[in-house]
């Protein structure tokens, strides 16, 4: 039995001709000719088909010399289609995706418009996941664009509040700007918020800039006694802030294509760059708003929570989603100048010289902290340390573990801002823990604690590497080593009162590229200006409530306590994991950047290692009261009633937001919004989301 020859393998072009039916069309045209002409054409085709490649080339060259322009035009028209080959119709899908992986987002969108097959490839989740990894939460090194993470908890059925409690009113984003300049108001000393006077005859001895106006002092009558506004237990079931005892059913998490995720964040980033936003105004405070904080990542409630503090002596809890005021915390006898909250507690600082610890979900005051001899202007806490700055020029550090505190002295005027910093956490996990700064600082801290124990002192324990920044009206910023209770560095450069601080940890690309293991300079052992010996230990804190039931400031029996490690509310990274088989990039080092705002109208970015100014941002025409920043942008609020959005790396202003009728005294930055408080008593929410 004779073996049949193997089937002839067609090339790419002839396979496409077979698929398109080109040969069938030619055969039909040939059959329409007379027999003689049909035989002649068939002989020519047969001779050309049996020829070798060099002979074919010779035949074609001869035919081209015989063609007129009409035949050449026909050839051009046919070749324009025949010579094109769709690579993705030939290549395997895996190779096609590898090729498309080199395109940026814009090119991928254009590729998706070529054909249905191209669209199915260009919209593949693998490609867009890689683009999201490259841009979301960080700036792309190629295009310079970064996209927000947008970590929000979205519930299927969020709880709704009665419409009568809604106090938000919509406002256009392009509202006219009030006149930012006031006669004689350019002096930084006149920008200082007046100090609310103590009741009694001592008012005359206060400096002029610290005296509260009489009508503002009497605007809101003080409570008859320092008691907290407590929601009765019978109201707990109707309180949307209370964590239910029975666990909520798990939310049905739905996934979306990575392309949709990218497009949503790209829209928000474009709105940021173009200054397009919608504005809502939350009304409720009867005096200027001096401090605020919001969180969108709490496990409960399902809506974002905003808490504001005001000169009307109250702190108010808001539903940031609807603008409704949930409840009011009353108890301070004078203005609330500082606050911070986490999932469990709220701590407020007031000009009545005290700080109060609240269960902000119920409105109950848990404890009152006393120690400062003047008003408390700022505070900051983490899992085991609370720092507060005061009009009395001191910084007090309160230890949650032991309930004791000590005092840092060095500033000669109001302490307006404090910021805790764990210097040992600037390197990612897995890094050598015996680097120069951490080992030296830890050794110095252990020696200091050993000396304290040998001398009979029971100093409260502070973790090695725990540092604190403080900013003051004396124009300086100080860096303290809390384990040594020593000022290790001063930052000098502002010519006005420093009002606000922001510590930002950014990816240190230069260190990652160099691959060196050097860490920050040893701040504890450096000889900087203003180096002070450890101050004597102050007596333990006094509380108007019962003494500490345990080493923790907040009782562990609280049903809302989720974790003892609840530091500043930060947005967790939701960057998707690496692809299976992909090579992990080298660990990035985190570089701390200190940002300060001052009444000298400037914002400064500082190099913490050297104490020098890296960049100064100019743009506000009056003093800067508040600054906030993330990895993508920096925002500032000023006495000129404006909010400016800055590119931190380039140093230029990208947008100016106007609308407040008074100085912008505080603000908070989210991924798609800014929340600001003003002397006019309004809280404004500038939202950059949406279309």
């Amino acid at each position: 039995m004779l073996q049949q020859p193997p089937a002839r393998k067609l090339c790419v072009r002839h396979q496409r001709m077979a698929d398109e039916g080109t040969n069938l069309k030619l055969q039909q045209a040939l059959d329409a000719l007379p027999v003689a002409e049909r035989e002649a054409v068939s002989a020519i085709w047969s001779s050309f088909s049996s020829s070798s490649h060099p002979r074919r080339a010779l035949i074609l060259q001869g035919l081209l010399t015989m063609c007129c322009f009409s035949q050449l035009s026909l050839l051009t028209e046919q070749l324009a289609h025949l010579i094109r080959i769709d690579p993705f119709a030939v290549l395997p899908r895996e190779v096609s995706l590898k090729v498309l992986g080199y395109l940026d987002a814009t090119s991928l969108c254009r590729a998706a418009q070529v054909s249905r097959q191209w669209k199915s490839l260009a919209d593949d989740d693998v490609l867009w996941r890689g683009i999201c990894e490259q841009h979301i939460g960080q700036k792309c090194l190629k295009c310079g664009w970064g996209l927000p993470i947008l970590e929000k908890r979205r519930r299927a059925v969020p709880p709704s509040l009665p419409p009568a409690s809604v106090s938000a009113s919509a406002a256009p984003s392009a509202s006219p700007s009030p006149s930012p300049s006031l006669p004689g108001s350019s002096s930084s000393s006149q920008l200082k918020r007046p100090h609310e006077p103590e009741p009694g005859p001592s008012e005359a001895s206060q400096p002029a800039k610290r005296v509260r106006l009489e009508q503002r002092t009497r605007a809101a009558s003080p409570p008859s006694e320092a008691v907290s506004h407590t929601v009765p237990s019978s109201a707990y079931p109707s309180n949307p802030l209370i964590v239910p005892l029975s666990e909520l059913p798990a939310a049905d998490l739905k996934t979306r294509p990575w392309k949709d995720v990218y497009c949503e964040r790209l829209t928000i980033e474009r709105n940021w760059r173009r200054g397009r936003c919608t504005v809502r105004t939350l009304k409720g405070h009867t005096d200027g708003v001096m401090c605020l904080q919001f969180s969108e990542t709490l496990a409960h409630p399902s809506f974002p929570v905003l808490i504001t503090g005001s000169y009307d002596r109250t702190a108010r809890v808001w539903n940031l989603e609807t603008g409704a005021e949930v409840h009011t915390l009353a108890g301070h006898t004078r203005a609330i100048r500082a606050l911070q909250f986490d999932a469990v507690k709220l701590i407020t600082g007031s000009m009545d010289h005290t700080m109060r610890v609240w269960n902000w979900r119920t409105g109950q005051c848990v404890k009152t902290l006393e120690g400062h001899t003047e008003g408390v202007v700022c505070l900051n806490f983490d899992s085991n340390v609370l720092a507060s700055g005061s009009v009395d020029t001191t910084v007090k550090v309160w230890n949650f573990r032991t309930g004791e505190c000590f005092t840092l002295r060095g500033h000669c005027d109001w302490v307006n801002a404090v910021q805790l910093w764990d210097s040992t956490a600037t390197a990612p996990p897995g890094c050598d823990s015996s680097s120069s700064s951490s080992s030296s600082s830890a050794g110095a801290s252990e020696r200091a604690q050993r000396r304290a124990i040998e001398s009979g002192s029971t100093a409260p324990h502070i973790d090695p590497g725990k540092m604190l920044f403080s900013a003051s009206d004396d124009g300086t910023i100080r860096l303290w080593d809390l384990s040594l209770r020593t000022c290790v560095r001063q930052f000098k450069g502002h010519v006005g009162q420093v009002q606000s601080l922001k510590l930002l940890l950014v990816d240190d690309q230069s260190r990652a590229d160099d691959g060196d293991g050097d860490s920050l300079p040893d701040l504890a052992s450096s000889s900087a200006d203003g180096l002070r010996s450890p101050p004597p230990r102050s007596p333990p804190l006094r509380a108007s409530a019962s003494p500490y039931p345990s080493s923790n400031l907040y009782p562990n029996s609280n049903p809302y306590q989720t974790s003892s490690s609840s530091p500043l509310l930060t947005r967790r990274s939701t960057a998707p994991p690496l692809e299976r088989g992909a090579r992990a990039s080298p660990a990035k080092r985190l570089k701390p950047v200190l940002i300060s705002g001052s009444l000298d109208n400037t914002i400064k970015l500082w190099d913490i290692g050297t104490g020098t100014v890296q960049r100064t941002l100019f743009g506000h025409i009056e003093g800067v009261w508040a600054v906030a920043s993330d990895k993508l942008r920096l925002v500032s609020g000023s006495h000129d009633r404006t909010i400016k959005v800055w590119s931190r790396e380039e140093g230029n202003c990208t947008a100016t937001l106007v609308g407040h009728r008074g100085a912008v005294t505080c603000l908070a930055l989210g991924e798609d919004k800014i929340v600001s408080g003003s002397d006019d008593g309004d809280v404004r929410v500038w939202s950059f989301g949406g279309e």
Side-chain angles (χ1 to χ4, degrees):
M1 183 176 180
L2 296 176
Q3 243 182 356
Q4 290 186 356
R8 183 181 177 186
K9 186 176 180 180
L10 300 178
C11 67
V12 174
R13 178 172 176 272
H14 289 94
Q15 180 64 49
R16 186 173 67 179
M17 288 175 57
D19 296 338
E20 294 176 353
T22 305
N23 291 336
L24 178 60
K25 295 177 182 178
L26 287 176
Q27 186 64 43
Q28 291 175 351
L30 184 64
D31 293 342
L33 297 177
V35 176
E37 294 182 8
R38 186 188 316 165
E39 292 178 353
V41 172
S42 296
I44 296 174
W45 287 352
S46 177
S47 175
F48 183 85
S49 177
S50 61
S51 300
S52 61
H53 285 284
R55 186 179 299 175
R56 285 187 178 189
L58 181 61
I59 294 174
L60 288 175
Q61 289 176 1
L63 289 175
L64 288 175
T65 59
M66 302 176 191
C67 290
C68 300
F69 282 107
S70 58
Q71 288 87 39
L72 292 177
S73 177
L74 175 64
L75 287 175
T76 304
E77 181 181 345
Q78 294 294 322
L79 289 175
H81 170 69
L82 295 177
I83 205 169
R84 294 177 181 175
I85 299 178
D86 183 357
F88 298 147
V90 181
L91 299 176
R93 184 177 181 86
E94 293 77 11
V95 178
S96 301
L97 293 178
K98 183 68 174 178
V99 173
L100 290 174
Y102 291 96
L103 301 182
D104 57 14
T106 304
S107 301
L108 276 180
C109 291
R110 291 173 178 168
Q113 299 174 352
V114 173
S115 65
R116 292 182 179 179
Q117 183 179 10
W118 280 51
K119 179 176 175 58
S120 67
L121 290 170
D123 289 348
D124 193 276
D125 257 7
V126 174
L127 299 176
W128 287 99
R129 174 180 170 178
I131 292 180
C132 288
E133 288 179 348
Q134 191 176 358
H135 292 83
I136 294 180
Q138 60 184 346
K139 284 197 174 182
C140 176
L141 299 179
K142 296 180 180 179
C143 65
W145 277 65
L147 303 180
I149 298 175
L150 291 188
E151 183 186 8
K152 297 179 182 177
R153 290 188 174 270
R154 295 183 175 90
R155 302 281 182 173
V157 184
S160 58
L161 292 176
S165 63
V166 178
S167 57
S169 60
S173 60
S175 55
S177 173
S179 175
S181 58
L182 299 175
S185 62
S186 59
S187 173
S188 61
S189 64
Q190 293 181 348
L191 296 181
K192 186 68 186 177
R193 180 66 188 245
H195 180 195
E196 188 180 21
E198 294 277 0
S202 61
E203 295 179 359
S205 61
Q206 294 287 340
K209 85 170 186 176
R210 308 270 167 99
V211 177
R212 192 90 165 120
L213 296 178
E214 186 68 21
Q215 59 269 27
R216 301 193 66 172
T217 310
R218 306 293 186 263
S221 58
S224 57
E225 55 182 344
V227 295
S228 61
H229 174 74
T230 306
V231 179
S233 58
S234 61
Y236 285 1
S238 62
N239 188 344
L241 302 179
I242 300 297
V243 179
L245 297 179
S246 60
E247 292 190 5
L248 295 174
D252 184 15
L253 298 179
K254 296 181 179 180
T255 59
R256 294 186 300 159
W258 281 106
K259 184 177 182 180
D260 293 350
V261 173
Y262 179 87
C263 292
E264 178 186 25
R265 285 149 179 79
L266 180 63
T267 299
I268 294 175
E269 182 63 22
R270 283 175 173 168
N271 290 342
W272 274 109
R273 296 196 172 212
R274 298 170 183 174
R276 297 187 304 196
C277 64
T278 58
V279 185
R280 286 185 302 149
T281 303
L282 311 185
K283 294 184 179 292
H285 284 292
T286 59
D287 207 338
V289 179
M290 298 305 298
C291 50
L292 59 84
Q293 180 191 340
F294 75 90
S295 173
E296 299 179 292
T297 58
L298 294 172
H300 187 85
S302 59
F303 54 82
V305 173
L306 166 69
I307 303 182
T308 57
S310 167
Y311 259 102
D312 64 11
R313 303 161 188 170
T314 67
R316 297 175 188 262
V317 183
W318 308 79
N319 180 337
L320 191 55
E321 192 173 70
T322 63
E325 180 183 329
V326 181
H327 56 223
T328 302
L329 310 179
H332 282 293
T333 58
R334 298 179 66 189
I336 297 178
R337 288 295 304 266
L339 65 81
Q340 182 184 337
F341 75 94
D342 59 17
V344 176
K345 60 186 175 294
L346 162 71
I347 301 181
T348 55
S350 170
M351 298 303 287
D352 62 10
H353 310 178
T354 68
M355 290 184 291
R356 287 177 176 254
V357 184
W358 308 80
N359 182 338
W360 57 267
R361 298 178 185 272
T362 64
Q364 178 185 6
C365 179
V366 178
K367 195 171 294 295
T368 301
L369 307 180
E370 299 176 351
H372 284 290
T373 59
E374 295 287 348
V376 180
V377 182
C378 56
L379 63 87
N380 184 221
F381 69 81
D382 60 12
S383 59
N384 60 355
V385 174
L386 165 66
S388 59
S390 170
V391 179
D392 61 15
T393 74
T394 66
V395 176
K396 286 190 178 292
V397 180
W398 316 72
N399 194 325
F400 288 174
R401 294 170 177 171
T402 63
E404 297 183 359
C405 75
F406 58 88
T407 305
L408 303 176
R409 293 182 173 87
H411 289 294
C412 56
D413 211 332
W414 287 28
V415 179
N416 297 313
V418 289
Q419 176 70 61
L420 291 166
W421 172 42
D422 188 358
S423 61
T424 60
T426 55
C431 196
D432 186 6
S433 60
S434 61
S435 58
S436 59
S437 70
S438 59
S439 61
S440 177
S441 177
S445 301
E446 291 174 359
R447 290 193 297 271
Q449 292 173 4
R450 193 180 302 114
R451 287 195 300 268
I453 295 174
E454 292 173 356
S455 62
S457 173
T458 58
H461 174 70
I462 299 292
D463 294 332
K466 184 75 71 176
M467 315 293 281
L468 174 72
F469 294 93
S470 61
S472 170
D473 272 356
D474 59 18
T476 67
I477 302 170
R478 287 176 177 258
L479 176 60
W480 309 81
D481 188 324
L482 297 186
S483 60
L484 300 176
R485 308 185 189 178
T486 303
C487 176
V488 297
R489 178 149 297 152
Q490 287 194 55
F491 300 81
K492 296 182 178 180
H494 282 295
V495 295
Q497 298 99 320
V498 185
Q499 292 299 315
S500 57
L501 290 177
K502 175 64 178 180
L503 183 65
L504 184 65
L505 297 179
V506 299
D507 296 333
D508 189 358
Q509 199 62 37
S510 60
R511 288 180 179 267
D513 294 341
D514 295 341
D516 58 358
D518 299 337
S519 58
L520 291 172
D522 186 4
L523 299 176
S525 59
S526 61
S527 58
D529 295 338
L531 189 65
R532 297 175 58 86
S533 58
R537 185 171 70 93
S538 60
L541 60 93
R542 294 165 295 169
S544 62
S546 59
Y548 287 95
S550 64
S551 61
N552 196 346
L553 182 62
Y554 199 80
N556 287 329
S557 59
N558 192 298
Y560 319 115
Q561 182 135 14
T562 56
S563 172
S564 60
S565 58
S566 52
L568 286 171
L569 292 168
T570 55
R571 292 176 293 278
R572 300 183 301 275
S573 173
T574 57
L578 289 173
E579 278 186 64
R580 180 176 299 178
R583 187 181 63 177
S585 59
K588 295 181 180 179
R589 299 183 63 89
L590 298 179
K591 175 184 177 182
V593 175
L594 183 65
I595 305 169
S596 62
S598 169
L599 296 188
D600 60 10
N601 307 357
T602 66
I603 303 161
K604 291 185 181 293
L605 282 68
W606 303 83
D607 186 327
I608 295 178
T610 62
T612 57
V613 178
Q614 289 182 324
R615 174 174 286 129
T616 301
L617 307 182
F618 299 92
H620 286 293
I621 60 177
E622 295 190 57
V624 178
W625 284 104
V627 293
S629 179
D630 58 19
K631 291 185 177 181
L632 301 180
R633 59 189 55 84
L634 185 153
V635 296
S636 58
S638 169
H639 198 82
D640 60 16
R641 311 174 189 177
T642 68
I643 299 171
K644 288 187 178 291
V645 183
W646 307 81
S647 170
R648 178 178 52 83
E649 296 176 346
E650 299 174 4
N652 60 309
C653 177
T654 59
T656 300
L657 310 178
V658 298
H660 277 296
R661 295 165 292 136
V664 181
T665 53
C666 54
L667 53 80
L669 174 63
E671 294 173 320
D672 61 347
K673 64 174 63 68
I674 299 173
V675 182
S676 60
S678 170
D679 251 346
D680 57 16
D682 292 343
V683 177
R684 286 185 169 242
V685 182
W686 315 76
S687 178
F688 293 83
E691 298 299 330

